Amino acid sequence: MNDESRSRRPRDVAASRRTLLAALGAGVGAGALGLPGPAAAAGPGTWTNPTRGTLTSGYKTPSRPGHLGWDVAAAQGTPVYAAAAGTVRDIRTGSYPGDQTSGPLPGRTGNSVHLNHVDSFFTYYGHLHRVLVSPGQQISCGQLIGLMGTTGNSTGPHLHFEIHRPRLTSTDPRVFLANRGISLGSTAPLGSTGWPSVSGGTGWVQRTIQYLLRGRGVSVVVDGYFGPGTASAVRTFQSGRGLHADGLVGPITWTALILPVQQGSSGDGVRAAQTALNARGAALLVDGAFGAVSAAAARSFQSANGLLADGQVGPLTWSVLV
Ligand SMILES: [Zn+2]
């Protein structure tokens, strides 16, 4: 999908915080909101997928280094949701579908919504067909804010989605969400994350979990059977990480459990990745040594799944692997 990234002018961060506090009403102190310290930056569970569709253009690609977001394409009218709770900072309208010359943002991102979140994070949703919120409105995580469209400089219906960290530094929204257990644009049901929830059973996912537990220093038998021993090992891992120790490997536990693997890596994290790659069609020796053959298998898997084929098994690749 064709569009242009926006260049944003610096904003008055303090004013934006005051606006948020004012919108939330008197009696809600900065402490309760976690403002203004960075410690309360949005964490697991507070972000969600903004829409469903096909990823068509990435963040700062070599051919589009100024593209500060991801494009997710689906039918016109596909719901677009707030990726986190916040306040509507502003709305831009005036470009007509397919019209790249009229309106306040000619040739740009058309009808768009900008949401402020706690700790000066903000998100941006471009090319909308309809905007369903108003400036200043409080928005909950996952709330419907608009419908996907092709306003502004766009060749077909898609959402242009950006996430900005405090002090206006854009970040790769796909990686940002993957680190929170969310697969951008995933066709998985909304509210699900792209990570499987595992608390029993037998198979390669269970074996992968066991290798990862061992790679994290938790003693467990690797037999592919998720029984009481594995559940106990999961609880041990969760307790050590300050997570709810329920023995269930869900999105938050997966995100903490996975080990990044690349060429030259060794150990049980590699055995976990080799096991998962084999389940996805590779034929690797599960030897715990991530050499050129394993890296090639990782690149092949990444290419087949629309991921950057760098041969590194990081959070995003892990989330698609399992
Ligand atoms: Zn875009």
Side-chain angles (χ1 to χ4, degrees):
M1 293 297 150
N2 180 26
D3 66 11
E4 293 177 2
S5 61
R6 303 155 310 116
S7 59
R8 300 199 60 88
R9 285 183 292 278
R11 298 208 178 263
D12 183 341
V13 170
S16 112
R17 282 187 179 141
R18 285 195 298 274
T19 302
L20 178 58
L21 286 168
L24 289 167
V28 182
L33 285 168
L35 295 175
T46 60
W47 291 79
T48 193
N49 221 334
T51 194
R52 286 183 274 187
T54 304
L55 299 174
T56 55
S57 188
Y59 174 81
K60 290 187 177 177
T61 58
S63 61
R64 300 175 72 194
H67 190 240
L68 301 182
W70 269 91
D71 293 341
V72 185
Q76 177 153 301
T78 297
V80 172
Y81 304 93
T87 311
V88 179
R89 169 62 185 258
D90 59 36
I91 290 168
R92 311 279 172 85
T93 57
S95 295
Y96 302 102
D99 181 350
Q100 300 184 9
T101 57
S102 65
L105 282 174
R108 303 283 288 281
T109 39
N111 297 335
S112 57
V113 172
H114 164 184
L115 299 182
N116 279 341
H117 309 290
V118 293
D119 286 319
S120 303
F121 279 83
F122 72 82
T123 51
Y124 185 83
Y125 311 76
H127 307 299
L128 298 173
H129 178 59
R130 291 278 184 275
V131 172
L132 302 174
V133 292
S134 309
Q137 186 177 341
Q138 290 177 50
I139 303 294
S140 57
C141 180
Q143 182 172 337
L144 181 66
I145 59 170
L147 303 177
M148 190 182 289
T150 184
T151 55
N153 183 5
S154 170
T155 54
H158 75 286
L159 173 69
H160 173 88
F161 177 62
E162 299 181 11
I163 297 177
H164 291 248
R165 291 180 177 278
R167 289 179 295 282
L168 306 174
T169 307
S170 72
T171 189
D172 185 332
R174 195 180 184 199
V175 172
F176 181 94
L177 292 176
N179 285 332
R180 287 152 181 79
I182 298 158
S183 180
L184 176 62
S186 167
T187 52
L190 284 168
S192 77
T193 60
W195 295 99
S197 288
V198 183
S199 59
T202 303
W204 67 269
V205 173
Q206 289 79 1
R207 183 177 293 271
T208 299
I209 288 169
Q210 290 167 336
Y211 275 130
L212 288 170
L213 285 165
R214 287 210 326 202
R216 290 292 186 180
V218 179
S219 176
V220 67
V221 176
V222 178
D223 58 2
Y225 167 60
F226 194 121
T230 301
S232 173
V234 170
R235 285 195 296 273
T236 298
F237 172 75
Q238 291 170 322
S239 294
R241 288 300 179 113
L243 304 174
H244 180 52
D246 58 3
L248 168 78
V249 182
I252 293 171
T253 299
W254 272 115
T255 305
L257 186 60
I258 53 167
L259 286 156
V261 165
Q262 60 186 335
Q263 191 161 344
S265 299
S266 61
D268 284 315
V270 170
R271 291 186 181 89
Q274 290 170 328
T275 298
L277 285 165
N278 283 347
R280 298 300 189 184
L284 300 169
L285 187 63
V286 180
D287 60 359
F290 207 79
V293 177
S294 293
R299 282 195 297 273
S300 173
F301 172 79
Q302 290 168 324
S303 293
N305 288 277
L307 301 165
L308 177 67
D310 59 4
Q312 301 179 15
V313 184
L316 192 58
T317 300
W318 266 117
S319 73
V320 181
L321 261 179
V322 300

